[in-house]
Amino acid sequence: MDKEQVLKHTLELLDYIEKENYLGYDPYDFYLSPYAKYIPKSILFLHLQKFSPINFRPLIGIHKDMVTKVYGLMIDSYLNLYSLLHENEYLEKSKILFDRMVSAAVVNTEEELGWGRNYPFKTGGEIHDNKKPLVYLDSRLGLSIINLYDITKDASLIPMLHRIITNILRTGRVLKNKEGYTFIGYSPDKNTRLTFNASMVAVELFIKYLDRSKQHTCIIDKYDLRQISYEIINTMIHYQEDDGSWAYGYSAKGELFAQRDFHQGFVIDSIYNIIPYIDEEPFKEEIYNTYIKGYNFLKNIQIGEKGEFYWRHPKKLPIDIHNQAQGILSLSLFQNENSFETLQKTIDYTFKHFWNKRKHCFYYQKWGFIINKISYIRWCNAWMLFALTTTLLNKDKIKTV
């Protein structure tokens, strides 16, 4: 698929999302049902709904909603299109969504700014109240504000970033595991997970904030921001496996979450994005080598010969659109002589098996010959829009697109 075709489908996808007014369902939105509280062992129904090819949500009272992460994905996509096509409407739409995003914050005080999911959520060890902020969301939306600042140079965004980082440090807390390695907790829950992706995305925000605010470091809630960032980077280096992968993370009790999935891309992308801001050469080289090992695992191990991204390596099925989007995104950020073909195959495979030619949106999952054709706003379409606009923006580095 050539560049013109990718751009054509990208704009068709954007039109679909805008006609939906950015609203949609989410694989994990089961607890928005008014009936969920009456169902024993409801977490089982959450997972049943997550994999069901039949969308039962309208029958159990779940309505389309604005999924919080979509704000950041759409702002970044609009900014990518603005940088690519130089059409002012994309910048204006990013500003409109920015205002809506700030209004959607669950914490908004003089000191703090933070976001939670638009739906409550349960895992085996945590309960996430949708009125409480989460570290990954804070970090991801904060990075969108960084991108908006880079284009507009609006100085009022800098103190806003300080408030977001304050909320991250108070929400997740700076925690050490039993081996003494530093993480940012995932949530304010006392049993919070220690995940590599949430901690590393937070570090990307910290490092970029220091650069944009023209500070080598600063103290927030007694924490030296650069020191904490470097400690977490050392955590990433220490826990990287010999093959270049990271597990998802650890429970509060130190139990390993062993899955290896699209979160690998979250970690390596944030590592890649901070390398230009590291001045200490031996440390910078160590970080770069860690990135290359992680990138090669994603490119060579997680993505198959046809361009299909393994669900949770070594488990291949289901092939999932979120994984496909993350593969395209990570391959678009960094190019070496062996990666062009892999990126092209991943893009081609994704459009061949997931693109709805009539509605101009993406399907959810592929189980062998069976396609789950539910199209989720965040999981499918906003992520793919962000991946495709990033690919187009980096087209000069991509010989085959």
Side-chain angles (χ1 to χ4, degrees):
M1 182 174 292
D2 62 26
K3 182 185 70 175
E4 287 73 22
Q5 290 174 303
V6 173
L7 178 58
K8 175 179 178 292
H9 292 319
T10 298
L11 296 178
E12 289 172 342
L13 175 61
L14 175 61
D15 184 61
Y16 167 84
I17 295 172
E18 289 180 338
K19 285 179 178 177
E20 293 290 316
N21 196 26
Y22 315 107
L23 306 179
Y25 300 114
D26 194 87
Y28 295 91
D29 61 9
F30 173 74
Y31 289 103
L32 287 177
S33 170
Y35 305 109
K37 60 184 177 182
Y38 302 111
I39 299 177
K41 296 185 178 179
S42 58
I43 193 170
L44 299 177
F45 286 84
L46 182 151
H47 290 290
L48 176 64
Q49 177 177 269
K50 182 176 71 174
F51 289 112
S52 171
I54 300 172
N55 188 4
F56 294 105
R57 291 168 181 81
L59 298 177
I60 58 176
I62 299 175
H63 305 288
K64 291 183 179 181
D65 199 1
M66 183 66 176
V67 183
T68 310
K69 197 181 296 183
V70 171
Y71 288 112
L73 294 169
M74 292 303 303
I75 288 170
D76 287 344
S77 297
Y78 280 134
L79 294 175
N80 283 344
L81 287 170
Y82 172 74
S83 298
L84 177 69
L85 301 176
H86 309 292
E87 295 180 11
N88 198 56
E89 66 170 302
Y90 297 120
L91 180 58
E92 294 307 312
K93 288 179 178 179
S94 74
K95 293 177 180 179
I96 291 170
L97 271 187
F98 165 76
D99 290 337
R100 288 177 58 180
M101 182 176 80
V102 173
S103 298
V106 296
V107 174
N108 191 346
T109 68
E110 291 184 0
E111 292 187 348
E112 298 180 63
L113 183 64
W115 292 268
R117 288 189 178 96
N118 64 302
Y119 50 83
F121 179 69
K122 292 182 182 180
T123 66
E126 293 177 84
I127 298 175
H128 297 160
D129 185 334
N130 57 333
K131 301 299 182 184
K132 293 182 180 179
L134 295 174
V135 163
Y136 179 80
L137 282 175
D138 280 2
S139 303
R140 184 63 185 79
L141 301 189
L143 288 170
S144 296
I145 295 174
I146 291 275
N147 294 334
L148 186 61
Y149 171 80
D150 286 346
I151 288 178
T152 65
K153 302 303 180 186
D154 180 353
S156 69
L157 299 177
I158 298 300
M160 182 176 289
L161 293 167
H162 189 284
R163 292 163 60 207
I164 294 170
I165 293 171
T166 301
N167 186 253
I168 289 171
L169 294 173
R170 294 178 182 178
T171 292
R173 294 143 294 161
V174 178
L175 303 173
K176 292 185 182 292
N177 66 2
K178 293 179 181 179
E179 293 183 287
Y181 285 91
T182 302
F183 291 81
I184 302 289
Y186 188 88
S187 75
D189 193 281
K190 66 178 181 180
N191 296 317
T192 187
R193 290 170 282 172
L194 303 177
T195 67
F196 296 114
N197 73 90
S199 292
M200 194 60 227
V201 176
V203 166
E204 182 184 352
L205 178 64
F206 296 170
I207 294 293
K208 287 184 173 179
Y209 164 72
L210 290 174
D211 176 76
R212 274 42 169 202
S213 62
K214 297 179 172 55
Q215 303 176 86
H216 176 73
T217 192
C218 67
I219 305 299
I220 300 180
D221 275 9
K222 80 180 180 182
Y223 294 113
D224 182 308
L225 208 56
R226 185 168 292 272
Q227 178 182 334
I228 292 299
S229 298
Y230 283 15
E231 288 180 13
I232 293 174
I233 295 168
N234 279 320
T235 298
M236 302 299 141
I237 295 171
H238 174 79
Y239 284 104
Q240 187 178 37
E241 302 289 346
D242 290 340
D243 61 8
S245 69
W246 286 271
Y248 176 62
Y250 292 87
S251 72
K253 296 180 180 179
E255 301 161 332
L256 179 67
F257 298 120
Q259 75 235 39
R260 285 158 175 81
D261 54 21
F262 61 87
H263 292 100
Q264 176 85 7
F266 289 13
V267 175
I268 64 171
D269 290 356
S270 285
I271 292 175
Y272 176 79
N273 288 331
I274 66 163
I275 290 173
Y277 308 106
I278 305 299
D279 295 327
E280 299 85 350
E281 283 303 324
F283 189 38
K284 186 172 187 174
E285 183 177 359
E286 188 176 16
I287 296 169
Y288 179 78
N289 291 336
T290 298
Y291 169 73
I292 291 297
K293 284 178 61 179
Y295 177 87
N296 285 335
F297 179 82
L298 181 142
K299 182 178 77 70
N300 299 326
I301 306 299
Q302 289 185 284
I303 298 177
E305 293 183 358
K306 298 178 182 178
E308 73 280 27
F309 197 117
Y310 280 61
W311 181 56
R312 290 180 176 175
H313 191 270
K315 295 180 180 179
K316 176 175 281 191
L317 298 180
I319 308 300
D320 189 296
I321 190 63
H322 200 306
N323 292 15
Q324 295 298 123
Q326 186 57 51
I328 292 168
L329 181 62
S330 295
L331 292 169
S332 298
L333 289 178
F334 173 79
Q335 289 294 311
N336 61 30
E337 61 184 4
N338 299 316
S339 62
F340 306 123
E341 182 180 356
T342 305
L343 174 61
Q344 184 65 62
K345 286 192 300 186
T346 306
I347 292 172
D348 290 345
Y349 182 93
T350 303
F351 273 99
K352 179 179 179 180
H353 295 285
F354 291 89
W355 179 241
N356 184 324
K357 295 179 181 178
R358 183 173 63 87
K359 292 186 176 180
H360 299 150
C361 60
F362 286 94
Y363 297 135
Y364 173 38
Q365 289 180 336
K366 181 177 184 294
W367 295 78
F369 295 106
I370 300 172
I371 303 291
N372 184 327
K373 295 188 176 182
I374 298 175
S375 187
Y376 294 108
I377 188 67
R378 168 185 71 104
W379 197 264
C380 303
N381 296 307
W383 267 111
M384 276 301 301
L385 183 70
F386 177 47
L388 293 173
T389 58
T390 301
T391 299
L392 289 165
L393 190 61
N394 291 325
K395 66 184 185 300
D396 291 337
K397 295 191 296 183
I398 304 167
K399 295 180 181 178
T400 56
V401 175

